[in-house]
Amino acid sequence: MPVLVSHPDEVKIISKRFGQGAADIDKYIELDGYKAVQKCIEQGPEWIIAEMKASGLRGRGGAGFPTGMKWSFIPKESAKPKYILVNGDESEPGTCKDHVIFLHDPHSVIEGTTIAGLATGAKMGFIYLRGEYRYLLKIVEKAVADAYAKGFLGKNIFGKEGVDFEIITQTGAGAYEVGEESALMESLEGKRGVPRIKPPFPAIVGLYGGPTVINNAETIASVPAIINYGGEAYAKVGSERNGGTRLFGISGMVEKPGIYELPMGYNLKKAIYEVAGGIKGGRALKAVVPGGSSCPVLLPDEIDVGLDFDQMAKAGTMLGSGGIVVLDETVSIVEFALRTIKFYQHESCGWCIPCREGTDWLKKTLTRFYDGGGNKKDIANIQYLAENMMGRTFCPLGDAAAMPTLGFIKKFRHEFEAYLEGHRTEKHFITTDELIGAGH
Amino acid sequence: MAAITNSIFKPETAARFDHLASIYPMKRSALIPMLLYAQDEIGYVSDAVVAEIAERLDLLELDVRNVLSYYSMLRTKPAGKYNVQVCTNISCMITGGYDILDHCKKKLGIGHKGVTPDGLFSLEEVECIGACCWAPAMQVNYDFHENLTTVKVDQILEDYAAGRGKDVK
Ligand SMILES: Cc1cc2nc3c(=O)[nH]c(=O)nc-3n(C[C@H](O)[C@H](O)[C@H](O)COP(=O)(O)O)c2cc1C
Ligand code: FES
């Protein structure tokens, strides 16, 4: 069971029920649960969307798209049914925040999904969890069944005539790419997780051809909290254009790794040195991957920056999924870069050539390099490959592989060069014989 | 769908599949959950599983195989009774994930995707399992084991070998 951590700088808005047994529906109700949705039934769609816009909530799945705006794109009239799709595929390395939500507060996801339905006119929602999260799926399934039993889901919810909402839970079966929203819809339709071309966007043509809202599980879990807290008040907790709080997962070589709820804009250096207790064993910091493995790396002198979408973009990286991975001086960047690419190569769905071939060549070149067979041209080749993948793939998985690679080459070129001259860590972790030519 | 009269699944699984095929706006949506639940029961996705699921969902066997080959948790060969999946992705790698993997390899005497001769254990090196803040981490079947050390792994494997391990399905 994941260990819960705590720090005085945390502002517990979405994590306030963690560790209090709120997977139990009665406990959830006792802790203000299912109040927000009833208020939303009273107030109606325009009010809900206005609150969401005022909250400044931006998608927690990685891209940071404003949630209120996303919901407002759903057409009022639609010949086909509309749907809410909750993305709990959570597979970006370094990310485990949805895990804790499903474990400790599954009803917040159910309540948030229902509110999204009320706001957009959707009558059905899906909560999709990655296949590995079976024990969490069971928790969510039980929560959904309990909500049905209380009349919070189904027909005439909360006793309101004509207000219907159904929720179906779904399991994946192992695929990172399925976290990409259009591939997620394909997977939910029982297909290979291959992305769809956009436009049309899911808000117009989504699941089963109907208008669809796709939101990350944390985004959705924030919704009832925002309604209770008040949109404007929630916005004020965060930084400019970045409303509220977010669950940051700090992992790697820190004294107190864990999930912390911090205001948007919180200083990254403080998050590492104060909230997470600093670098393990008092060693020196080498680098930080700030928002899941697809985000370009930051150097120790670049971490005095606010954790929000805009400030991170200005720092040349991304806030991404909020998974902060901390590397100390003992980590070999060549090895870390190879492990990162090995993942994206494995997870590329193979649909488009720049991603399929690009990730494969990156992996092959980096593997040879790591094995001691590299030369100076390889460094230029790695950069060339990554630059040519950027913006040229069918979905952003190609970018997710290219961006960190370019970051490693740009900021640690000296280490790649030194590697060629024999400056390597003694211990090799990755077994490359299993890498070369290995399929799945 | 023709009613399935001679299902290869246990009655409760067959009933669950009947239910799954009825809840979605489109029947095919039940395919991935069905394949995974079938694997949980049979141990892998056999030819007979493919045939029955295709029939249940009015799909071609080819459609089923196409999907089957995409998802990394689905397998077409038996694994061990306890499938040990060690994460070596970034957060786990830098906190000792490869030491855990090597330890499992030695202890079980098998490599990546290997199965012990008695069929009790199999081993896999896997990508991030969403337990990065509690690294290094692994799963045995669907159960998570976190903040691992080699000593802890020995205990966990012994518990499973003795039939005392957690095994949520
Ligand atoms: C390759 C890839 C993988 C993704 N994986 C996830 C994921 O696991 N969970 C998630 O919520 N979003 C993921 N996303 C982002 C989704 O496409 C989508 O933007 C998000 O679910 C929208 O929700 P939000 O607006 O609430 O963030 C991924 C995107 C890409 C390109
Ligand atoms: S990196 Fe191992 S669980 Fe995420």
Side-chain angles (χ1 to χ4, degrees):
Chain A
M1 187 88 80
V3 190
L4 283 176
V5 285
S6 197
H7 186 270
D9 279 5
E10 280 187 279
V11 180
K12 301 206 176 193
I13 298 176
I14 35 178
S15 60
K16 70 171 189 175
R17 297 189 196 90
F18 289 5
Q20 300 198 53
D24 177 79
I25 193 163
D26 293 317
K27 190 75 197 174
Y28 181 73
I29 294 168
E30 189 190 314
L31 299 170
D32 292 336
Y34 290 110
K35 267 192 193 150
V37 61
Q38 296 188 63
K39 186 167 182 185
C40 290
I41 293 174
E42 297 302 324
Q43 299 286 343
E46 272 92 50
W47 180 87
I48 304 170
I49 289 182
E51 279 300 296
M52 292 309 295
K53 284 187 173 165
S55 76
L57 177 67
R58 293 170 68 173
R60 304 307 193 218
F65 195 84
T67 308
M69 199 193 293
K70 183 180 269 189
W71 292 7
S72 71
F73 292 156
I74 299 292
K76 283 210 169 55
E77 303 299 326
S78 167
K80 293 206 169 163
K82 309 176 203 176
Y83 300 102
I84 310 298
L85 173 48
V86 181
N87 190 344
D89 192 57
E90 185 153 79
S91 308
E92 170 87 354
T95 316
C96 52
K97 67 201 175 57
D98 301 341
H99 187 143
V100 189
I101 297 173
F102 292 131
L103 177 62
H104 290 285
D105 206 10
H107 285 284
S108 69
V109 180
I110 296 169
E111 190 176 1
T113 309
T114 312
I115 295 173
L118 293 167
T120 55
K123 304 267 179 230
M124 187 177 267
F126 295 88
I127 303 176
Y128 185 112
L129 273 71
R130 62 179 301 184
E132 292 84 350
Y133 283 178
R134 173 67 59 84
Y135 90 103
L136 299 170
L137 179 70
K138 294 186 84 127
I139 292 170
V140 178
E141 279 173 348
K142 159 114 186 9
V144 167
D146 290 346
Y148 270 103
K150 289 236 190 260
F152 299 172
L153 289 174
K155 296 246 175 291
N156 307 322
I157 58 173
F158 299 95
K160 289 280 168 202
E161 200 64 38
V163 184
D164 306 336
F165 198 72
E166 308 283 342
I167 287 184
I168 295 179
T169 50
Q170 182 81 349
T171 176
Y176 165 70
E177 170 59 7
V178 157
E180 192 281 331
E181 56 185 21
S182 66
L184 181 65
M185 297 191 288
E186 290 288 296
S187 178
L188 191 45
E189 291 180 8
K191 299 176 202 148
R192 292 170 75 89
V194 170
R196 295 178 183 173
I197 195 145
K198 294 180 212 172
F201 289 95
I204 310 301
V205 182
L207 199 54
Y208 310 116
T212 304
V213 169
I214 300 159
N215 273 133
N216 169 256
E218 183 189 352
T219 311
I220 286 291
S222 310
V223 171
I226 288 170
I227 299 293
N228 289 332
Y229 208 82
E232 245 172 69
Y234 177 84
K236 284 203 190 106
V237 178
S239 54
E240 204 185 327
R241 291 180 5 97
N242 286 267
T245 57
R246 150 163 226 187
L247 297 179
F248 289 99
I250 311 180
S251 70
M253 284 130 148
V254 288
E255 288 288 351
K256 285 181 259 170
I259 301 286
Y260 298 93
E261 182 173 1
L262 297 169
M264 293 292 275
Y266 193 87
N267 185 277
L268 172 58
K269 193 170 184 173
K270 257 178 98 176
I272 293 169
Y273 282 95
E274 290 177 28
V275 177
I279 312 304
K280 206 165 198 162
R283 284 194 290 261
L285 175 68
K286 181 166 193 174
V288 179
V289 176
S293 64
S294 62
C295 302
V297 64
L298 292 173
L299 297 173
D301 63 0
E302 296 173 317
I303 62 167
D304 194 2
V305 54
L307 285 164
D308 70 28
F309 290 103
D310 304 319
Q311 294 184 63
M312 294 306 270
K314 233 166 123 190
T317 184
M318 298 182 302
L319 189 64
S321 64
I324 301 167
V325 186
V326 179
L327 284 60
D328 78 7
E329 57 193 335
T330 64
V331 177
S332 153
I333 294 294
V334 172
E335 188 159 53
F336 196 86
L338 171 60
R339 189 63 188 83
T340 302
I341 276 302
K342 170 173 147 34
F343 169 74
Y344 290 103
Q345 186 272 344
H346 180 261
E347 300 299 327
S348 172
C349 78
W351 181 251
C352 75
I353 295 164
C355 179
R356 183 180 67 220
E357 297 293 315
T359 52
D360 201 53
W361 278 105
L362 280 176
K363 186 187 86 169
K364 282 183 175 139
T365 312
L366 273 165
T367 302
R368 181 162 44 74
F369 197 94
Y370 175 73
D371 270 346
N375 58 57
K376 252 202 150 121
K377 250 179 89 184
D378 285 333
I379 304 174
N381 273 340
I382 292 166
Q383 184 168 355
Y384 175 81
L385 276 164
E387 278 170 355
N388 279 287
M389 287 163 70
M390 279 300 293
R392 292 195 175 88
T393 54
F394 200 82
C395 90
L397 194 147
D399 299 339
M403 283 183 297
T405 307
L406 288 171
F408 293 131
I409 294 283
K410 201 172 120 200
K411 292 186 179 163
F412 288 95
R413 185 179 290 273
H414 54 281
E415 194 170 318
F416 281 82
E417 284 167 359
Y419 197 93
L420 288 174
E421 278 143 32
H423 297 286
R424 298 166 200 169
T425 42
E426 275 166 41
K427 197 161 168 181
H428 254 47
F429 288 126
I430 304 174
T431 29
T432 46
D433 51 334
E434 280 167 8
L435 266 185
I436 305 258
H440 259 21
Chain B
M1 177 188 78
I4 305 274
T5 47
N6 52 347
S7 173
I8 60 167
F9 300 109
K10 289 183 193 145
E12 60 271 25
T13 308
R16 186 182 197 185
F17 285 0
D18 289 341
H19 173 71
L20 274 177
S22 73
I23 58 173
Y24 299 93
M26 195 191 270
K27 207 154 70 172
R28 184 173 176 155
S29 287
L31 178 55
I32 292 153
M34 270 192 192
L35 285 169
L36 199 56
Y37 298 142
Q39 172 170 290
D40 292 342
E41 183 174 313
I42 310 280
Y44 66 106
V45 181
S46 62
D47 288 348
V49 167
V50 171
E52 180 170 331
I53 290 182
E55 193 181 345
R56 283 177 172 275
L57 298 177
D58 293 330
L59 295 170
L60 297 174
E61 288 190 22
L62 181 68
D63 295 326
V64 177
R65 288 189 197 284
N66 238 321
V67 169
L68 167 61
S69 66
Y70 180 86
Y71 294 91
S72 64
M73 288 173 72
L74 299 173
R75 54 178 179 260
T76 50
K77 280 193 297 238
K81 182 172 180 208
Y82 301 112
N83 188 29
V84 179
Q85 304 144 77
V86 182
C87 173
T88 60
N89 212 310
I90 51 173
S91 302
C92 290
M93 173 172 103
I94 64 178
T95 52
Y98 276 99
D99 291 338
I100 300 297
L101 179 66
D102 286 344
H103 186 73
C104 288
K105 281 181 180 171
K106 278 196 205 99
K107 180 110 186 160
L108 299 173
I110 50 178
H112 174 58
K113 299 236 164 172
V115 186
T116 56
D118 59 3
L120 198 55
F121 288 103
S122 49
L123 182 63
E124 265 185 86
E125 175 182 358
V126 294
E127 298 298 354
C128 175
I129 51 177
C132 329
C133 288
W134 317 289
M138 68 178 191
Q139 282 186 282
V140 178
N141 294 347
Y142 290 105
D143 281 292
F144 280 84
H145 300 276
E146 291 133 352
N147 300 310
L148 296 173
T149 59
T150 49
V151 178
K152 223 167 149 178
V153 167
D154 286 344
Q155 186 61 51
I156 292 164
L157 295 181
E158 267 164 42
D159 283 348
Y160 279 103
R164 288 191 305 260
K166 266 196 302 179
D167 191 14
V168 172
K169 283 261 163 73

